[in-house]
């Protein structure tokens, strides 16, 4: 397995192994080894999809046909939920954002047409997703997070950093807002602020192998 496959699988298994985590949906699909290693897969993405990706992104290459976890932690004073579902880049780049008929202007419609879903939440039923923005001439795609109630937000991390953060946050609801230009003290985000505060109290106890310093700093900055 690649380094990132091992890290993501470890995060997945930590949720499975914790007695305090209730799992709603869980699936670890096989590795799509038929597409070869990172360099070969990136060549396929270029020739099959016409998408040129920066070679530096090969360091976080993953081959999972699916890695999906939808979970909840509930105990006195604590109610947390989270979900992630990620796949091999060749599958990811086939998954366009949901129908953008709800775009309010041409600029939004253009944005949504360029998004390719890398992480979504089918079990939660919220329709929220994270995506790469694929633009001609930009080999380092932006990462965006979309919530139907709040809109689309550009994240200040790249694809590899997104996967790094996913391992630490385990997909807890709203974690992407720690990497967006938002104020979590605003009314629309307060529930996420409470959830993130509580997760940063509970996670060091449940998952002590991770450094939560950056997440705490980001939370304070956005409060």
């Amino acid at each position: 397995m690649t380094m990132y496959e091992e890290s993501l699988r470890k995060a997945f298994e930590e949720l499975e192994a914790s007695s305090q985590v209730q799992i709603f949906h869980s699936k670890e699909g096989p590795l799509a080894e038929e597409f070869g290693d990172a360099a070969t897969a990136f060549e396929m993405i270029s020739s099959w999809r016409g998408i040129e990706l920066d070679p530096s992104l090969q360091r976080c290459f993953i081959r999972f046909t699916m890695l999906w976890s939808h979970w909840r932690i509930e105990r006195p004073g604590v109610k947390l939920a989270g979900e992630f579902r990620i796949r091999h880049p060749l599958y990811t780049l086939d998954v366009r954002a949901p129908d953008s008929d709800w775009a309010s202007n041409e600029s939004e419609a253009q944005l949504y047409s360029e998004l390719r879903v890398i992480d979504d939440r089918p079990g939660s039923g919220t329709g929220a997703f994270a995506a790469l923005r694929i633009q001609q001439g930009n080999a380092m795609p932006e990462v965006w997070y979309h919530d139907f109630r709040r809109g689309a937000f550009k994240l200040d991390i790249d694809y590899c950093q997104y996967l790094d953060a996913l391992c630490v946050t385990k997909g807890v609801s709203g974690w992407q807002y720690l990497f967006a230009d938002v104020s979590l003290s605003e009314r629309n985000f307060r529930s996420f602020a409470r959830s993130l505060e509580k997760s940063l109290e509970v996670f060091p106890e449940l998952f002590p192998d991770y450094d939560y310093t950056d997440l705490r700093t980001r939370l304070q900055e956005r409060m």
Side-chain angles (χ1 to χ4, degrees), residues 97-105 108-109 112 115 127 129 146-148 151-152:
D99 194 310
S100 58
D101 287 344
W102 29 260
S104 60
N105 54 55
E108 284 189 359
Y112 297 136
L115 297 181
F129 61 85
H146 184 269
D147 179 330
F148 281 93

Side-chain angles (χ1 to χ4, degrees), residues 7-208:
S7 296
L8 288 160
R9 189 181 189 191
K10 177 176 183 283
F12 175 85
E13 290 178 340
E14 286 169 333
L15 290 166
E16 298 275 313
S18 176
S19 61
Q20 296 196 41
V21 178
Q22 179 184 359
I23 303 293
F24 294 121
H25 297 93
S26 176
K27 183 174 182 179
E28 180 184 351
L31 300 179
E33 297 181 281
E34 66 271 21
F35 298 126
D37 62 9
T40 303
F42 273 49
E43 288 177 5
M44 290 180 178
I45 290 169
S46 175
S47 59
W48 293 2
R49 306 287 185 264
I51 298 171
E52 301 293 337
L53 295 175
D54 194 288
S56 67
L57 296 178
Q58 292 182 23
R59 71 183 177 86
C60 57
F61 177 63
I62 59 172
R63 295 168 295 167
F64 294 110
T65 52
M66 180 182 295
L67 192 66
W68 178 22
S69 181
H70 178 204
W71 55 268
R72 180 175 69 181
I73 297 171
E74 188 167 350
R75 68 188 196 193
V78 176
K79 286 187 178 181
L80 295 172
E83 184 174 11
F84 61 86
R85 185 174 67 166
I86 57 173
R87 299 183 179 92
H88 190 296
L90 272 166
Y91 297 121
T92 287
L93 295 172
D94 271 341
V95 184
R96 294 179 177 268
D99 194 310
S100 58
D101 287 344
W102 29 260
S104 60
N105 54 55
E106 288 187 13
S107 177
E108 284 189 359
Q110 178 66 26
L111 167 65
Y112 297 136
S113 73
E114 296 169 343
L115 297 181
R116 302 294 183 273
V117 177
I118 58 172
D119 181 17
D120 61 359
R121 302 166 56 84
S124 304
T126 64
F129 61 85
L132 297 181
R133 185 179 188 182
I134 304 300
Q135 298 171 289
Q136 289 297 323
N138 184 6
M140 186 64 76
E142 300 168 351
V143 181
W144 285 70
Y145 183 66
H146 184 269
D147 179 330
F148 281 93
R149 292 182 59 191
R150 296 166 183 86
F153 301 86
K154 182 179 177 293
L155 307 187
D156 65 0
I157 48 177
D158 63 24
Y159 174 59
C160 294
Q161 293 167 326
Y162 184 94
L163 296 180
D164 289 332
L166 181 59
C167 292
V168 183
T169 64
K170 305 294 190 291
V172 68
S173 294
W175 74 264
Q176 291 89 348
Y177 292 121
L178 293 174
F179 298 87
D181 184 16
V182 300
S183 171
L184 292 174
S185 62
E186 292 182 5
R187 181 178 179 182
N188 281 345
F189 296 98
R190 286 176 192 163
S191 62
F192 294 123
R194 289 191 294 269
S195 175
L196 291 166
E197 283 182 313
K198 191 59 66 174
S199 72
L200 291 173
E201 294 175 13
V202 172
F203 280 12
E205 170 198 341
L206 300 183
F207 313 116

